[in-house]
Amino acid sequence: AQKITQTQPGMFVQEKEAVTLDCTYDTSDPSYGLFWYKQPSSGEMIFLIYQGSYDQQNATEGRYSLNFQKARKSANLVISASQLGDSAMYFCAMRETFGNEKLTFGTGTRLTIIP
Amino acid sequence: EAQVTQNPRYLITVTGKKLTVTCSQNMNHEYMSWYRQDPGLGLRQIYYSMNVEATDKGDVPEGYKVSRKEKRNFPLILESPSPNQTSLYFCASSLSRLAGGTDTQYFGPGTRLTVL
């Protein structure tokens, strides 16, 4: 069975600093997709970034990048130059390749940006 | 605008009173899914649908029903709600990987349900 582990329940970071949110995963599927979602206090789930298991390069989307280390089964999210609006819950998720294409989520990290 | 919509956004009801939460997407996605979110547990899948008339159970299906009569709609039905179904519910959709689609699932805004 697939499993996502996020070991940081909460983090406090100074505004404008970079922050790394940890995510490790476990799967026996050779092909999979890794995602990060942001959930602000308003509750919606906002897609941030995606990494495919066969992608050679780390994914980047604006200030977000995904540090993908396949051998270590980690997919950490890096936010550069953090902003107050980055304060939110962040979820790492993995998608199965075949059959039920569900997302398996971690328990999330609550990030608070300090002015 | 491409989006997933859910209604209602907020609902307070009583034990045993049947309710339906609607979900609709305008992106012609084959795959749709319902998740519930509870504190400390992340999101867990309730039901999913690979296409019209093709639905199946996820990880926590007890107490829920779904239907997929049209590609765009995927309602979640609670025949006899109980307090342990108090939760935040999300509908999501995506192109199917089997159809050669991309991986990203797009989420609706969520429905906050309270069962008294």
Side-chain angles (χ1 to χ4, degrees), chain A residues 47-50 58-66 77-83 86:
Chain A
F47 164 72
L48 295 179
I49 196 166
Y50 161 76
N58 287 342
T60 60
E61 291 283 351
R63 293 187 300 113
Y64 305 107
S65 60
L66 199 153
L77 177 71
V78 180
I79 306 174
S80 63
S82 57
Q83 303 170 355
D86 294 332

Side-chain angles (χ1 to χ4, degrees), chain B residues 61-81:
Chain B
E62 293 77 21
Y64 304 95
K65 287 175 57 177
V66 293
S67 68
R68 188 91 181 272
K69 294 184 171 59
E70 305 166 284
K71 197 172 187 178
R72 64 182 293 128
N73 296 324
F74 190 45
L76 179 69
I77 303 158
L78 285 73
E79 294 269 1
S80 182

